[in-house]
């Protein structure tokens, strides 16, 4: 069982992702923006973080930067439109999942990052740039 922090300003979306994660046997904490997410991360240990990009107070890219500056080995998955793939990759996101996504896709990304530690966002970027 893993401990996962989910950061998104859409409360309904947060609850839905939380249910998916719980159904896979993991614990989760919900944060409604980057400021709250950073507070949670600093106060607790999480095996994985999933963050949206577009949020009030502190966006997901700023949140990612703050977390990785303090904890370079943190595993952070960015979820948003493909427009943010370059920024997430350049800043060290472990992975990226484009919205909207299926429950199965989310769980695959989570399990891949929990069990392998492979940072696949660079691989995804190369795939998208190749036009495949």
């Amino acid at each position: 069982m893993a401990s996962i922090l989910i950061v998104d300003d859409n409360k309904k979306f947060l609850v839905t992702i939380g249910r998916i994660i719980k159904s896979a046997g993991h614990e989760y904490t919900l944060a409604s923006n980057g400021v709250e997410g950073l507070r949670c991360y600093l106060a607790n240990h999480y095996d994985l973080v999933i963050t949206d990009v577009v949020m009030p107070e502190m966006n997901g890219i700023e949140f990612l930067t703050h977390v990785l500056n303090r904890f370079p080995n943190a595993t952070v998955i960015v979820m948003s439109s493909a427009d943010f793939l370059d920024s997430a990759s350049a800043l060290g996101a472990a992975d990226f999942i484009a919205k909207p996504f299926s429950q199965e896709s989310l769980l695959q990304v989570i399990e891949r990052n929990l069990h392998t530690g492979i940072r696949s966002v660079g691989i995804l970027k190369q795939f998208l740039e190749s036009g495949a």
Side-chain angles (χ1 to χ4, degrees):
M1 174 175 19
S3 177
I4 301 173
L5 174 62
I6 312 161
V7 186
D8 196 308
D9 61 325
N10 182 325
K11 293 191 187 310
K12 184 176 178 182
F13 195 70
L14 273 176
V15 170
T16 299
I17 294 175
R19 286 184 185 147
I20 292 169
I21 288 171
K22 185 176 181 179
S23 75
H26 303 299
E27 296 178 347
Y28 66 91
T29 301
L30 304 177
S32 61
N33 60 58
V35 172
E36 185 180 339
L38 188 57
R39 258 186 256 143
C40 290
Y41 197 86
L42 294 173
N44 301 288
H45 170 76
Y46 295 96
D47 301 304
L48 185 73
V49 178
I50 303 171
T51 185
D52 188 21
V53 173
V54 180
M55 298 180 289
E57 296 187 50
M58 179 190 292
N59 69 44
I61 299 299
E62 294 168 323
F63 170 74
L64 171 67
T65 301
H66 283 294
V67 169
L68 292 179
N69 280 340
R70 293 180 183 175
F71 306 95
N73 295 323
T75 303
V76 181
I77 298 170
V78 173
M79 60 179 173
S80 198
S81 69
D83 298 340
F84 294 100
L85 178 60
D86 287 336
S87 298
S89 175
L91 294 171
D95 215 330
F96 184 89
I97 186 164
K99 286 182 172 181
F101 50 80
S102 68
Q103 176 175 337
E104 181 179 300
S105 295
L106 176 63
L107 291 175
Q108 285 175 349
V109 169
I110 289 170
E111 294 306 317
R112 176 173 61 232
N113 283 277
L114 285 174
H115 298 294
T116 65
I118 294 173
R119 294 189 176 264
S120 60
V121 73
I123 296 166
L124 175 60
K125 181 180 176 189
Q126 290 172 349
F127 175 77
L128 291 173
E129 289 174 350
S130 73

